[in-house]
Structures are given as C-alpha cells and as structure tokens.
Amino acid sequence: MSTLPTDRMRELYGLWSELWRGDFGHAHEILDPDFVVHQARPDGSDSEAMKGPARLLPEIEQTMAAFGDIAITVDVGPIIQGDLIAARWTMRAHYTGGLDHATAPVGTAIAFSGHDILRVSGGRFVEYWTCTDVLAGLAQLGAVSGPNGPARP
C-alpha cells in the first residue's frame, strides 16, 4: 500500500497526464526504471517485454506524430485507493497522417476513450493497466470497418 498522501497521488497523476500531452520533463522522476505496461496490443506483441520510460515514451511520441491538436480530458477520476490511481479519459485530436491503412483525410477530427489504472510504489509509477478503445479511433480513420467509421472499399 502507498504511504503517499492523496494530494501527492493526485500530483503524480497530473504529471502522468502531462506526459500524454508531450511534456516528458518529469518522466524519469515519476516512472520507475522497472515500470511495466499491461496492455492488450493490436499487433499481438508482449506489452511487458520492455520496461521503464523506454517502454512508454516512444508510444506517446507515436501518438503525437499521428495526431495534432490533442486534447485529453479526464472524465472520471482520478480515483485513489491505497497505492492505485484510476481514471477514465477521452482524447480528441485531428489526424495528421501516417497510420497504416487509414483512409481518412489529414485533418479528420477523432475522439476515443479509455481508462487507466496505475500502481505507485516508492513515489513512482511501477505498473500501468490500460484499456483504450483503439478500434473506435481506427474506425474513425477508415483503417477498419465498424459502427464508428467508414467501411473500407
């Protein structure tokens, strides 16, 4: 269990949110060197194979390369219980290009949601469970067919 006060846990979550807005200035301060991501990956790769900031930061950079005008809002939370922080968020952005199979024009507005659970130990994030509606985003870009976007021709 975390011995950190709730306000420090909220502060950590605020710094976490800044990572996803492109500010990596606190990454090594808030991410443990053995930080582990637990995530169902669309390509089937092992999300736990690489650890620490080197696992997460390139993924954030890839997101930022494909989207501009990124706005992330926290819809629920952060909810703090012991050493865990949970939140539901929505990302809104404009497509800037470069995703395989996307047929949407550059500039297409998209929105998708997800939720995260983060575990804190020693004042840093050590584990991250995420569930993101990647399919909704890909469908809006025409990369997959579905109820949230156009079917491929």
Side-chain angles (χ1 to χ4, degrees):
M1 292 290 260
S2 175
T3 58
L4 295 178
T6 299
D7 57 342
R8 176 60 183 149
M9 295 283 277
R10 287 189 189 285
E11 182 182 337
L12 277 173
Y13 188 79
L15 294 171
W16 169 262
S17 297
E18 290 305 313
L19 283 178
W20 288 95
R21 293 180 180 97
D23 180 355
F24 295 170
H26 295 283
H28 293 280
E29 172 189 333
I30 67 169
L31 299 176
D32 190 83
D34 291 323
F35 175 77
V36 177
V37 177
H38 306 283
Q39 175 186 37
R41 301 204 33 95
D43 64 2
S45 63
D46 180 3
S47 71
E48 300 174 29
M50 183 182 289
K51 298 184 181 334
R55 162 59 182 88
L56 183 66
L57 300 184
E59 190 167 316
I60 296 172
E61 289 171 333
Q62 289 172 356
T63 300
M64 297 184 78
F67 300 102
D69 304 322
I70 295 173
I72 300 172
T73 56
V74 177
D75 305 320
V76 177
I79 300 167
I80 298 166
Q81 182 175 339
D83 61 351
L84 300 173
I85 301 173
R88 176 166 174 83
W89 49 265
T90 299
M91 182 179 119
R92 291 175 179 77
H94 289 92
Y95 180 54
T96 58
L99 292 179
D100 289 342
H101 308 294
T103 58
V106 168
T108 297
I110 69 147
F112 59 90
S113 297
H115 54 271
D116 300 332
I117 300 171
L118 296 139
R119 187 170 70 83
V120 175
S121 179
R124 292 179 169 180
F125 293 115
V126 294
E127 287 186 276
Y128 170 44
W129 295 265
T130 184
C131 183
T132 303
D133 194 354
V134 173
L135 267 177
L138 291 174
Q140 291 169 62
L141 295 174
V144 297
S145 59
N148 297 320
R152 286 202 265 180

